[in-house]
Structures are given as structure tokens and as C-alpha cells.
Amino acid sequence: MSDTVPNPAIAVVGSLNIDTQLSVPQLPETGTTVAASSMSSCYGGKGANQAVAACRQGASVSLIGSVGTDAGGSAYLEYLVAQGIDVSAVQPYEDTPTGRAYICVNPAGQNTIVTLPGANAYLMAERVAENIGLIEGADVVLCQLEVPVESVVYAIQTANEYGKTTILNPSPLNPEFPWGQVPIDFLIVNEKEAASLLGYFVESTAEAPTIRSQMADLGIGTLIITRGSEHTFAFSANQALKVPPPQLSVVDTVGAGDAFAGTFAVHWAQSRNLLGSLRKANIAGALATQREGAQDAIPTREEVDDFGKAPAPEPEPEPAPEESNPEYSEYSAEGAEEAPQEQIGDEPPAEEVSDLPTSDDDAEHKPQG
């Protein structure tokens, strides 16, 4: 892994999609038809989403990917450039459309997604190799599985050779990925993906000994499991963390996981603090559920850093001379004391287990300051 850096460079190898989002009263089931109440289009794809998330957290971001030569692909690249992302390694391919995603969202903010890979399927390992300089110059290499597996494997292997931090968000899970053959520093999965990978749902940090054994077999350094509004779990060689996300009313969960991954990548590169990075990622993921769409909903660094801080006291009005009070003192907004940066609203503190509990009785966790 590379050293801590104040302004990290993040190389993202992943997908670019144009999303069509449908608001539905309930998610469709097999054999049913559901009428949508509205439709909207926006930019998405897990690769581009995570690139935007990392960029909005202050990182220098490059994206290795593919689009079509259609109007949508050209407009997408212009948009990403305006966001501050280096798209010099995004290859336009003729005779194939830019990737598409069709998303149904219910009133609770839950969604189902159908993707059409389009140009994403043409991101071959050779294309990644042509842009190896971006990996060599990065502090973190961030990948997903909406592009060919061999390209992701090549990117991670190359990053490992250069000593870069590797983060994989293996969504959607692909049975062709060679688990255990490619070391991964951080694996970020949701609870269903974790269950598919491990064979069971993780319910407690007390399961750390068993999980660590499986992580070793899978080649995972640290396993992070996001669980929606429930505590995020993280398991490393010497830590087992459960970190509460902010409890906010959900508008739309599309892109929340990508906001988490991109934010985590930046804050880990800057701090090498697992707990602090998870807290920031939890905030970003929660804030992303407050707005509709994928990239439009991703929060900025300021929004993440300011979340949960105590508001500055309002200055009291200056009393009239005849009502002056010798004990009166005016508060200054600039000098107002702030809550600790890691405080997350009124959420309970994260809990940590580092002594490898092996029974339910050992599952009491020590609060972290």
C-alpha cells in the first residue's frame, strides 16, 4: 500500500451507464406488470458513480472505461470532464451503444436494476494495459464488476505490483472472479453479496474468527459489509468493527453504495484510519439517499464533513443602551466550538472488537472515542 497522502489520486476501472429511472408503486414481481408514475434519465454506472464520489471528496480521479460513439456517450464524457474527472482513458467504441441501466424505484426508495452492458463489455485487459500509467500514478485503484472480469483482475494485479491500495466492490457478483488468486486490500459488499460470498448472513462481529479464515482463503485483507440502515461491519486482521450509519428518511437508494465506496477510498488514502473512513463513507451513503438519481445525489466533501457538527450559536441581539447588562457577552460564530469531526449526529458510537471473541458471551464491544 502507498503512504498516507493529503490529496490522493484515485484510478477507477469500471462502467459508464445512462440510467433510466422509473418511479413505481411497488417493485415488479415475476409475471406482473407495474405502471410507473414518472420517468427520468441521468448518468450512472458503478465505475463513473464511484469516480464522481471520489472526485467530490477532493481526490484527483481518472476513469478507465468505455462508451459508445452515440450522442449519449459523447455528452457523458463532456459531463465527467466538467466534474473534474480525467476521462482520457475512456475509449469510445463504434457500432455499440453506451451502457444502459433501467431502474425501478418504489416509494420506500428500494430498487431493482436491469443493465445493458453495451460498450462496457468492450473494456478489455489490453485497454487497461494501455493506461497502466494511471494505475502506477494512483494511490488507490477502485474496481467493480460491471466490466469484464479479466480487466478487473489485470487492474488489481497491476496495482498490487506497484504497491497501490486495491478496493473491489464486486457488484454484481460474478462467479468467474478468481477468489483467492488475486489479493484485494478492501472488499466492499452489501449484506446479500456477503451472504453469497461467505455462504451465510453475517449478523455479529462475534463471527470474526470464522470470517477471517474465509477472508484468508478469498485473498481479502479487509472485508466491509454495508447493511442499509443497520450497522456497517468491517473485519480486518486485528479489528472487528460495527459502525452505525446516520438514520435518515430514505428518498432513493440508487447510488448510495457507490457514494460509500468512492468516499471510503479517498478518506482511507488520506488517513489510514479504518473507523474514521467508515464513518465518512456511512455519512456519504446516507446523504446520497436524500436525493433522487445516482450521481446527482452524491454529496460533496463539505456536506460529508459538516454532517453532525454542532451548529454555531446565534449571536444575541445587541441590547439598547438603557437595557444594557454588564453580564452580557456576545457569541462569535467564528469562535464557536464544534462537535468532534467524527461525531455523527445523535448516533451511538461505533463498536470495536479486537480480541477475537469466539462466543456470544464475548460479543460485548468496547466503545470507541
Side-chain angles (χ1 to χ4, degrees):
M1 295 184 185
S2 55
D3 295 332
T4 302
V5 289
N7 300 300
I10 311 293
V12 180
V13 179
S15 58
L16 299 89
N17 289 331
I18 297 176
D19 295 347
T20 298
Q21 184 164 313
L22 302 170
S23 297
V24 295
Q26 65 270 342
L27 299 179
E29 298 179 358
T30 302
T32 65
T33 299
V34 176
S37 59
S38 65
M39 179 184 75
S40 61
S41 293
C42 59
Y43 295 125
K46 296 189 70 64
N49 290 349
Q50 294 180 18
V52 169
C55 188
R56 289 185 184 165
Q57 292 304 302
S60 173
V61 180
S62 57
L63 177 60
I64 302 174
S66 302
V67 293
T69 54
D70 50 12
S74 299
Y76 200 166
L77 294 184
E78 292 178 5
Y79 164 81
L80 291 174
V81 170
Q83 295 294 305
I85 296 171
D86 177 5
V87 298
S88 61
V90 178
Q91 174 71 41
Y93 280 90
E94 296 183 359
D95 302 322
T96 187
T98 298
R100 300 277 176 170
Y102 301 89
I103 307 167
C104 293
V105 181
N106 70 10
Q110 299 169 321
N111 64 76
T112 59
I113 304 175
V114 176
T115 62
L116 174 68
N120 293 314
Y122 291 87
L123 180 61
M124 298 293 122
E126 292 80 3
R127 180 62 186 166
V128 180
E130 291 172 2
N131 294 280
I132 197 170
L134 295 177
I135 294 177
E136 183 181 3
D139 298 293
V140 174
V141 175
L142 177 58
C143 303
Q144 316 79 35
L145 290 181
E146 286 187 334
V147 296
V149 169
E150 58 267 24
S151 302
V152 174
V153 170
Y154 177 83
I156 295 174
Q157 288 176 331
T158 303
N160 287 334
E161 291 172 3
Y162 283 111
K164 310 302 180 180
T165 295
T166 55
I167 302 176
L168 176 63
N169 175 214
S171 181
L173 282 174
N174 190 321
E176 296 181 4
F177 190 85
W179 297 105
Q181 300 178 36
V182 186
I184 301 163
D185 292 319
F186 292 94
L187 188 78
I188 300 175
V189 289
N190 62 35
E191 55 187 338
K192 291 184 179 179
E193 292 164 342
S196 296
L197 193 61
L198 301 174
Y200 55 92
F201 277 91
V202 177
E203 298 180 352
S204 169
T205 50
E207 301 169 63
T210 300
I211 291 172
R212 285 192 179 99
S213 176
Q214 291 179 272
M215 287 166 54
D217 293 338
L218 295 168
I220 301 167
T222 297
L223 174 64
I224 298 171
I225 305 174
T226 60
R227 303 166 64 238
S229 62
E230 299 297 322
H231 286 69
T232 296
F233 289 147
F235 301 92
S236 65
N238 55 11
Q239 288 182 298
L241 302 174
K242 51 183 299 187
V243 186
Q247 298 301 301
L248 303 175
S249 298
V250 174
V251 174
D252 179 0
T253 60
V254 173
D258 296 328
F260 180 101
T263 299
F264 178 84
V266 176
H267 286 272
W268 170 259
Q270 291 178 324
S271 69
R272 289 296 189 268
N273 183 298
L274 180 58
L275 177 57
S277 300
L278 289 170
R279 281 176 163 163
K280 295 296 187 181
N282 271 348
I283 292 172
L287 291 177
T289 69
Q290 301 299 287
R291 297 187 282 259
E292 292 185 353
Q295 294 174 21
D296 289 344
I298 293 172
T300 64
R301 177 66 176 251
E302 183 178 13
E303 289 175 310
V304 171
D305 286 348
D306 286 349
F307 184 85
K309 286 185 176 180
E314 291 292 333
E316 295 184 17
E318 187 72 32
E322 63 272 19
E323 299 176 357
S324 62
N325 184 341
E327 297 180 358
Y328 168 80
S329 61
E330 184 174 345
Y331 292 97
S332 168
E334 288 77 9
E337 182 180 355
E338 295 180 344
Q341 185 172 343
E342 298 293 359
Q343 181 68 32
I344 304 178
D346 296 324
E347 292 300 320
E351 297 178 347
E352 176 180 358
V353 173
S354 57
D355 55 352
L356 309 186
T358 56
S359 68
D360 290 339
D361 293 337
D362 291 329
E364 296 297 327
H365 306 312
K366 180 173 59 179
Q368 301 299 295

